[in-house]
Amino acid sequence: HPGRFEVASINGLSSIYPASVIKTAVMVELERRIEVGMVHLTDTLTVTSTQYTYTGLPAGDTRHILQVNDSASVELLEDLMITRSDNTATNVLIDLVGRDSINAYMASLGLPGLQVHKHVWGGGPGTQVDPGWDGTSVNAGTALEFARLYLLILDGGPGFVGAAGRARMQAVLGRQELRDDLAVGGRRERRARVGRDRRGEHRSHQRAEVIFRGRELIDDALELRVRRIARLGVDVEAEL
């Protein structure tokens, strides 16, 4: 069926540990708030001690590493959160938009399995202190719902962020640097698994697969990403 978009999934709605993929949900709620005037790109926020955590740098990234008491604009924080998967920037933005607001917006979009309940943690000295965490709930997601969220970023939909916000999200996704070793042209399939902790042990043995026809959406180890926004007419399987 020419022009028909098809999605097939296996365990697509199985809840999985989302790792840094959950940062996309934070970005979407941020853009919703920007659109309605609750947040502005020029707003400046200051990093607190409970928001700071370690972030690994991509090769060649010479941008400043956020430290406690540093100030940065919302625009820069959003860019850092996505382009280099900056954990500190993510925590600042989670506190700005609110976990309940992120989860409510995801549910309103028909994506109730995408849940943000705690800060992301990059490791480092000391233990994670997250005043907003209930001590029990964890971040969660499903492969199919993440896929649907990326399609909304591409094409929009009822209740979703408008064209300006979607264009900004597409642009920042296209500038991702972390572990970006994907082929820039032509056809390629890449598979990666999510779910290992720092000792190399499996957090979960669940597998979830989504097959996309007509768009290239690729999962790269920890981050399901839109590698190229253009419609490429390729078949790519993203396995989480």
Side-chain angles (χ1 to χ4, degrees):
H1 302 282
R4 175 180 170 185
F5 187 79
E6 301 178 17
V7 177
S9 71
I10 302 172
N11 296 329
L13 291 177
S14 296
S15 185
I16 58 173
Y17 172 65
S20 289
V21 185
I22 203 64
K23 294 170 183 177
T24 308
V26 179
M27 175 179 66
V28 169
E29 170 60 10
L30 175 66
E31 287 292 343
R32 183 192 72 82
R33 288 179 169 243
I34 291 171
E35 182 171 78
V36 300
M38 298 173 68
V39 175
H40 302 89
L41 290 168
T42 54
D43 290 347
T44 299
L45 302 171
T46 301
V47 177
T48 69
S49 59
T50 60
Q51 294 166 339
Y52 172 79
T53 186
Y54 176 78
T55 293
L57 291 182
D61 189 334
T62 59
R63 291 174 295 178
H64 177 66
I65 301 174
L66 293 172
Q67 303 292 330
V68 176
N69 294 325
D70 280 350
S71 294
S73 69
V74 166
E75 183 173 23
L76 177 59
L77 290 167
E78 180 182 40
D79 187 81
L80 292 175
M81 175 175 68
I82 300 299
T83 60
R84 76 176 181 199
S85 197
D86 193 295
N87 294 317
T88 298
T90 302
N91 292 340
V92 174
L93 293 176
I94 286 174
D95 288 348
L96 172 66
V97 301
R99 303 162 213 221
D100 289 344
S101 294
I102 297 169
N103 299 339
Y105 188 40
M106 292 301 106
S108 76
L109 295 172
L111 310 172
L114 306 187
Q115 297 277 316
V116 177
H117 293 287
K118 61 184 298 187
H119 283 166
V120 294
W121 177 238
T127 58
Q128 183 177 19
V129 177
D130 181 359
W133 184 40
D134 63 13
T136 302
S137 304
V138 296
N139 298 341
T142 72
L144 187 56
E145 286 173 300
F146 276 121
R148 289 171 176 163
L149 185 61
Y150 280 105
L151 293 178
L152 285 169
I153 293 172
L154 284 167
D155 295 335
F160 197 67
V161 176
R166 287 192 292 108
R168 191 158 43 243
M169 287 188 282
Q170 291 171 13
V172 75
L173 284 164
R175 293 197 300 273
Q176 291 179 100
E177 299 174 350
L178 188 59
R179 293 178 300 276
D180 191 0
D181 59 349
L182 300 173
V184 174
R187 199 165 176 151
R188 180 169 178 178
E189 175 177 311
R190 180 183 176 91
R191 295 187 179 188
R193 292 188 181 180
V194 171
R196 292 181 181 272
D197 65 16
R198 299 185 193 287
R199 296 181 303 277
E201 299 170 354
H202 282 289
R203 292 178 184 269
S204 170
H205 294 290
Q206 293 177 333
R207 296 176 63 191
E209 299 181 3
V210 183
I211 299 172
F212 304 93
R213 299 183 185 278
R215 310 278 170 77
E216 185 177 356
L217 299 179
I218 301 180
D219 151 73
D220 182 18
L222 291 180
E223 299 191 57
L224 180 64
R225 62 187 59 199
V226 178
R227 179 63 184 90
R228 299 176 68 192
I229 298 303
R231 286 131 175 90
L232 300 177
V234 299
D235 296 348
V236 176
E237 177 177 274
E239 175 181 83
L240 293 182

